[in-house]
Amino acid sequence: MLAAGLVVGCQPRFNELPTYSEDRQLLQVVVETPAGTNRVLRYDAATNDFKPEQRAGVDRLVSFLPYPANAGFVPSTKLPASPQHPAGQPLPALVLAESLPAGTVLEVLPVGLVTLDRAGEMEPVVLAVPARPSQRIMPVTSWRELLQQYPAAREMLRLWLLRSAEHGEVRVVSWRDEQAAEQQIRQVQQKAD
């Protein structure tokens, strides 16, 4: 029993992991909701666990196609406080890769930034691919390569983002490249004390 407690106590606090990996200085993303599911999972910092998102006491399910990418967040980042997120929230990310379990910490390369209007609140979302070429399902490392090699990918993501939310809740404001994504990450990165 003591050993089990030590293992649980040794788990990383996902929101406190460094934004960039210490050894290779690559961007990290924590997966919350795996690609291919309709069940929305969110990280709960209080319990250091991944739980179903609930609305009115009911687990939230996307009533459209399943997640086309792994949804998560960039650790040690914080967007400004807003009416929907009074304490702020970590910078969201979508990782274009095979389905990964909730709690996976993955080194990624940002390839783009999509800005969403969620019921009047602007929300930037980093688009990324795994840093390791063997983990990529698309051999791209930039926004230009993504658009050139997979021209339908942006439209597919746009349609999914619009249809996966409550009707009228989300509007895509802009699509930008990997430099804009990197700039956004640096702006909201929480500095270590």
Side-chain angles (χ1 to χ4, degrees), residues 116-183:
L116 305 175
D117 176 346
R118 289 193 182 273
E121 287 186 17
M122 296 300 152
E123 179 182 275
V125 179
V126 172
L127 300 176
V129 297
R132 285 195 167 92
S134 63
Q135 294 177 316
R136 292 184 200 144
I137 56 174
M138 293 187 261
V140 300
T141 59
S142 72
W143 181 244
R144 187 170 60 79
E145 287 177 352
L146 180 66
L147 292 180
Q148 285 177 345
Q149 295 180 39
Y150 301 94
R154 180 169 79 170
E155 183 61 11
M156 290 173 67
L157 287 170
R158 185 187 76 79
L159 288 173
W160 187 84
L161 288 164
L162 294 176
R163 305 269 185 314
S164 65
E166 301 295 323
H167 182 68
E169 189 177 299
V170 173
R171 184 174 65 89
V172 176
V173 175
S174 67
W175 298 90
R176 298 181 63 205
D177 64 14
E178 64 276 9
Q179 286 88 15
E182 196 63 52
Q183 182 179 17

Side-chain angles (χ1 to χ4, degrees), residues 1 3 36 38 53 58 68 90 111 119 137 158 161 175 191:
M1 188 103 142
N38 288 67
E53 181 179 290
V58 176
V111 295
I137 56 174
R158 185 187 76 79
L161 288 164
W175 298 90
K191 304 298 181 201

Side-chain angles (χ1 to χ4, degrees), residues 8 11-15 42-51:
V8 171
Q11 284 184 334
R13 300 212 53 86
F14 294 98
N15 59 324
R42 293 287 178 244
Y43 174 66
D44 182 345
T47 62
N48 199 38
D49 198 9
F50 297 85
K51 298 178 178 180

